[in-house]
Amino acid sequence: MRSDASRRDSARAGTPDDRRQLRGALAVPLRALRASSGDPPYTALQRLDPTLKRSTVSDVLRGQSMPSWWFVRAFVRACVRHAAVAEHDLDPALADLQVWRSRWIAARNALHDPTARVPPAAAPAEAEGRPAMTPRQLPAVTRDFVGRAADLARLSELAADRATGSSTVVVTGMPGVGKTSVALRWAHEVADEFPDGVLFAELAGFGPGAPLRPVDVLSAFLPALGVPRASLPAGEAELAALFRSASAGRRLLVVLDNAGSSDQVRSLLPASAGCVTVVTSRNRLTDLVIGAGAGVLQVQPMPDGDAIELLGRFVPPSDDTDRLLELAHLCGHLPLALRLAAEQIRANGGTGPLLTGLRDARSRLDALEHGLGVESAAVRTVLASAVAVLPSTLQETLAAIAALPGRRFTAESATAATGSPPGAVLADLRALQAANLIEASGSADGTFAVHDLIRAFLHDRVPAAARSRAASWYVHSAVAAGAAILPQRGPVPVPVVADGVVPRSFADADDALSWCDRELPNLVATVDEALRSGDLATAWQLPNALLSYFDRRKPWPAWIACFTTALRAAEALDRPAPIATASNGLGIAFRELRRAELAATQFERAAAAYAEAGEQVGAAMALSNLGNLYVDLRRYEDAVTTLLRAETHARAGGDEWRVSIVLNNLAEAEQHTDRVHEAIEHARRAAELCRAHDDPTGEAAALTSLGRALLTLGELDGAAAHLRRAIDLQAEHHDDYNRARTTLHLARVLDRRDERDAALELARTAVGIFDRLGAPEVVAARALLAALAG
């Protein structure tokens, strides 16, 4: 005889045929899913998930038993994985776990509670204060979600601390970075941990239109938790209190998407232990972090691997990884931009046309959105809405910042671009950082960064005055740096500093060199932008101001890039002095890189242009550089002849410091001829002039020439003494390139004195320096090291 409980179960479920029919309501779509995924055998399903036992799967698919939710979820996931491996196209609805959850709940309720089969209008649940069903309100996550494993793991860590109270996590990041996708993906993965429901609201904090009010959200949440609509109070405070009561003792997940402020969220937080609230926002919601103890997940643009994986789902197989990587960089690794790029690739049949358009930063957004319809303007729309909600002063500051070249900038350079007081600019930068429109580097140099797509969006909004101030600040700061590095060079021709701009000042050469090191990418970008925008004066004058820095640090790619641009600007101006200046600077770099033919062409052009401009000192320097090149080519007589001409021009120009440079170069040439004693005299005279003009690096160069000449005569002790003094001066003033060259000469002297171990150590030092600098002399240094070691 059956127990009373069994009879009650039968009564609730109806006849056996009724129960079989209700179970079949779930079995039918499960069988359809299996068929659509390639009809995987039971053994294949069990290999994909060991919990899917053959007998259980068979019973469920025949409607013989009601499965648990855990079984349904495992079965769906196994079928989806099998479909992917078998390359079967699967209807997205068949893979949506939220849809399956709703089906399972409906089947379970119908099987165990006849009232659940009553149409909703007649169901007594809401009237009795009970939810009609457990709320599961999450929207579907995007199908092409990839990666983000670290973000998802971190979100789990932040949400885990809810033993003594509800936990709140703010998921923040710049517009388009994928905050909502991360939050929804995580919420779907953990939804089963919240048996009392998952609530979701899109708060529309950044438009278009007005943000959703907390009272409207609460008026939707409370009925989902079983509170009759008729009993809802009108005020926000009363609704918030009722929400806390309704959520008490429950395990709920609340996802609040696109919050505009902490005030919009505060009333929507459950207070019960076991509840978790995830808030996404472009703002950092600092008040919520401080006041409610919320954790923060800062979502960054996708790493290279994830971005390539996302693009790889759409691009033709022929596109290689390098092209995809470039495409990811040009899209700023933003998922929103990457998906637009994928649509463009589909439309154009490859990455080629899109890459061509994206490479020009000024038209990058146009290239992403061209020809794809109104919806493709998502990036521009998202960025516009983020900027539109800012106060006007912050909008002006952001637009001025976009005038700064390069991606990273400092508060000092931002102050120059805006023309505003430093304190006000720093406050604006902190506010823009809180809005995730700029980011702080976190390094000791206090730099900030603007994302490339935000910069592209702002390009047409940058005031002309801001561009002028930014260029002026960089030019005059570079002039000040050059004066600190090599004051003997004298004034550099530049225009008057722009109104409101205070150039950088430097305590000494080390300070100037450090600033140039940090700002080098921005200085190069300033030169490039000046040529693009038609500011030809900046395009040739800024590289000229940087020549002393280039000569000291030897950043050859930047050096050549800047002076190539300078020469193009000078040619556009069609004036001899700028052409001579640019050609001479470019020739020096080519000579040091052993590109003799190119160097000779530039030096000869510079000498002719300086002569045309009537600049004696400039002509002297160009001829002196050409003489050095002849020494490199072992054309020693041509070198001596050319350097004597250079000496004549330098003396005619009345510039004794530059006379010292020519005399030292002449000494270098003469020691390769039968004029060694003249070389010693010229080197000594050059060293004296450099000391008189407080030029320690020039003095070191002259002492090196003197040491080499003495080595030629076999005066080893005198040679070693002068070379050691030169090395000390070069080390003191961070002239690493020339220190390595002098160190090699000293190694040869010590080898001649049979001090083999000391010579080996010096050769190793030189190899290390040349290798670090990427200097071509590293080959000769290694050869000497090998000879000494042998």
Side-chain angles (χ1 to χ4, degrees):
M1 180 180 293
R2 292 185 301 169
S3 67
D4 291 341
S6 298
R7 285 193 294 271
R8 284 195 300 271
D9 287 343
S10 296
R12 282 200 303 269
T15 68
D17 287 341
D18 289 336
R19 292 196 302 275
R20 193 161 34 251
Q21 182 179 1
L22 292 171
R23 289 191 296 265
L26 187 60
V28 169
L30 287 172
R31 289 198 298 269
L33 169 62
R34 183 186 177 209
S36 298
S37 62
D39 208 16
Y42 294 156
T43 53
L45 292 172
Q46 189 167 358
R47 280 197 302 270
L48 291 167
D49 191 321
T51 66
L52 297 174
K53 305 298 183 184
R54 178 189 181 95
S55 59
T56 306
V57 173
S58 175
D59 286 349
V60 169
L61 294 184
R62 289 185 292 115
Q64 297 298 310
S65 64
M66 178 66 190
S68 68
W69 165 241
W70 306 108
F71 173 91
V72 173
R73 186 175 68 172
F75 183 85
V76 171
R77 287 177 172 173
C79 287
V80 170
R81 286 198 295 270
H82 186 274
V85 172
E87 298 185 350
H88 281 272
D89 291 331
L90 199 61
D91 185 342
L94 290 175
D96 190 334
L97 286 175
Q98 188 64 28
V99 172
W100 284 105
R101 177 82 180 186
S102 298
R103 285 174 176 159
W104 177 81
I105 290 172
R108 180 198 61 183
N109 290 345
L111 185 64
H112 296 293
D113 186 356
T115 63
R117 285 177 282 163
V118 179
E126 185 175 327
E128 295 174 1
R130 296 184 291 107
M133 65 171 58
T134 303
R136 299 286 170 180
Q137 299 179 348
L138 290 177
V141 72
T142 177
R143 290 183 61 199
D144 54 15
F145 185 95
V146 298
R148 299 296 197 185
D151 287 331
L152 296 171
R154 179 59 180 154
L155 188 48
S156 292
E157 291 175 7
L158 292 169
D161 185 18
R162 55 181 188 269
T164 58
S166 68
S167 130
T168 302
V169 181
V170 176
V171 179
T172 189
M174 68 170 290
V177 79
K179 301 177 292 294
T180 298
S181 293
V182 169
L184 287 178
R185 178 59 170 244
W186 179 84
H188 276 288
E189 288 183 355
V190 303
D192 291 337
E193 298 177 18
F194 300 90
D196 296 312
V198 181
L199 302 174
F200 175 86
E202 157 59 66
L203 300 183
F206 295 93
L212 197 63
R213 300 178 306 163
V215 293
D216 298 324
V217 178
L218 291 167
S219 296
F221 278 179
L222 286 164
L225 296 177
V227 178
R229 292 185 183 277
S231 65
L232 296 181
E236 179 180 332
E238 293 81 5
L239 283 166
L242 184 57
F243 179 60
R244 289 192 292 273
S245 298
S247 60
R250 301 192 187 194
R251 293 185 63 189
L252 291 171
L253 173 61
V254 181
V255 180
L256 304 173
D257 188 34
N258 199 18
S261 67
S262 298
D263 289 341
Q264 194 182 15
V265 170
R266 198 170 282 110
S267 296
L268 309 179
L269 304 179
S272 176
C275 292
V276 173
T277 305
V278 176
V279 185
T280 74
S281 179
R282 296 175 197 167
N283 290 336
R284 294 180 185 272
L285 304 185
T286 305
D287 291 346
L288 200 65
V289 173
I290 296 173
V296 178
L297 173 64
Q298 182 77 36
V299 179
Q300 301 290 348
M302 301 183 87
D304 286 344
D306 289 353
I308 290 175
E309 182 182 352
L310 177 58
L311 288 170
R313 297 189 173 189
F314 305 100
V315 300
S318 59
D319 279 306
D320 59 39
T321 301
D322 289 341
R323 291 170 71 84
L324 294 184
L325 186 58
E326 182 185 5
L327 185 57
H329 286 320
L330 292 173
C331 289
H333 293 79
L334 285 189
L336 183 60
L338 290 167
R339 291 186 178 95
L340 279 182
E343 291 298 326
Q344 287 283 9
I345 293 168
R346 271 199 285 254
N348 295 312
T351 57
L354 179 58
L355 282 172
T356 300
L358 291 176
R359 285 172 182 142
D360 185 348
R362 294 168 296 179
S363 59
R364 190 164 294 165
L365 293 182
D366 292 334
L368 275 176
E369 299 167 358
H370 177 70
L372 294 182
V374 177
E375 290 183 3
S376 71
V379 175
R380 201 183 301 267
T381 301
V382 165
L383 295 178
S385 66
V387 173
V389 299
L390 297 174
S392 59
T393 54
L394 289 185
Q395 292 189 36
E396 292 168 2
T397 298
L398 185 61
I401 287 171
L404 294 167
R407 188 165 183 266
R408 297 206 169 272
F409 64 93
T410 63
E412 190 176 21
S413 59
T415 297
T418 61
S420 301
V425 172
L426 186 57
D428 285 353
L429 295 180
R430 296 304 182 198
L432 291 170
Q433 183 186 355
N436 281 300
L437 291 170
I438 66 173
E439 63 179 18
S441 67
S443 59
D445 58 6
T447 57
F448 297 86
V450 182
H451 191 275
D452 291 341
L453 290 186
I454 293 180
R455 187 182 295 279
F457 171 75
L458 293 169
H459 184 271
D460 295 334
R461 295 165 170 78
V462 176
R467 292 192 190 280
S468 177
R469 285 192 296 266
S472 182
W473 185 79
Y474 273 110
V475 168
H476 285 272
S477 295
V479 169
I485 295 167
L486 188 62
Q488 297 79 11
R489 189 179 177 211
V492 174
V494 289
V496 177
V497 66
D499 290 342
V501 172
V502 180
R504 187 79 152 73
S505 59
F506 302 95
D508 52 31
D510 289 346
D511 186 23
L513 288 167
S514 296
W515 180 81
C516 290
D517 289 340
R518 293 191 304 271
E519 290 286 350
L520 184 58
N522 294 334
L523 292 163
V524 175
T526 299
V527 174
D528 290 342
E529 179 59 30
L531 181 64
R532 276 196 299 266
S533 64
D535 182 4
L536 301 181
T538 295
W540 78 266
Q541 289 169 349
L542 180 51
N544 186 36
L546 290 169
L547 184 57
S548 297
Y549 166 74
F550 287 150
D551 192 48
R552 183 70 61 85
R553 287 292 201 239
K554 311 298 182 187
W556 284 294
W559 186 345
I560 289 176
C562 282
F563 271 93
T564 299
T565 301
L567 186 56
R568 290 175 60 192
E571 289 170 342
L573 288 169
D574 195 23
R575 288 166 39 202
I579 289 173
T581 299
S583 294
N584 190 54
L586 191 56
I588 297 171
F590 284 148
R591 182 220 162 196
E592 294 191 357
L593 289 172
R594 303 292 190 264
R595 297 163 71 176
E597 186 174 347
L598 292 174
T601 299
Q602 296 303 327
F603 289 144
E604 289 165 357
R605 185 180 188 187
Y610 276 129
E612 181 184 351
E615 294 192 15
Q616 295 276 12
V617 172
M621 291 298 94
L623 288 170
S624 182
N625 291 327
L626 182 59
N628 284 341
L629 179 63
Y630 287 152
V631 171
D632 297 339
L633 298 174
R634 300 184 180 182
R635 294 168 54 181
Y636 300 123
E637 293 299 334
D638 288 339
V640 171
T641 300
T642 302
L643 288 162
L644 288 172
R645 287 175 57 204
E647 182 186 3
T648 300
H649 281 288
R651 293 190 185 281
D655 191 326
E656 282 199 338
W657 175 69
R658 285 179 170 83
V659 169
S660 74
I661 294 174
V662 175
L663 289 176
N664 182 51
N665 293 339
L666 183 57
E668 283 283 314
E670 288 171 331
Q671 64 184 281
H672 293 285
T673 66
D674 57 359
R675 306 180 183 91
V676 179
H677 291 286
E678 289 91 334
I680 292 173
E681 180 57 33
H682 286 142
R684 283 190 172 130
R685 179 59 182 151
E688 291 169 0
L689 287 173
C690 287
R691 279 194 294 273
H693 288 83
D694 192 23
D695 178 11
T697 57
E699 181 186 353
L703 291 173
T704 301
S705 297
L706 182 55
R708 293 183 64 195
L710 291 172
L711 173 62
T712 302
L713 294 178
E715 298 182 16
L716 302 183
D717 291 344
H722 289 304
L723 292 172
R724 283 196 171 98
R725 174 58 182 155
I727 290 170
D728 289 343
L729 287 171
Q730 289 159 343
E732 181 181 352
H733 296 279
H734 309 293
D735 189 1
D736 289 345
Y737 173 75
N738 286 312
R739 177 164 66 92
R741 295 183 67 191
T742 307
T743 298
L744 276 186
H745 297 316
L746 182 57
R748 294 186 180 98
V749 172
L750 296 186
D751 180 44
R752 291 272 296 273
R753 295 201 322 192
D754 292 328
E755 298 177 29
R756 182 62 59 87
D757 291 343
L760 273 169
E761 187 59 33
L762 289 171
R764 290 190 190 99
T765 299
V767 168
I769 296 173
F770 284 139
D771 197 41
R772 173 170 55 82
L773 294 175
E777 288 88 346
V778 72
V779 177
R782 287 191 177 123
L784 177 60
L785 180 60
L788 291 171

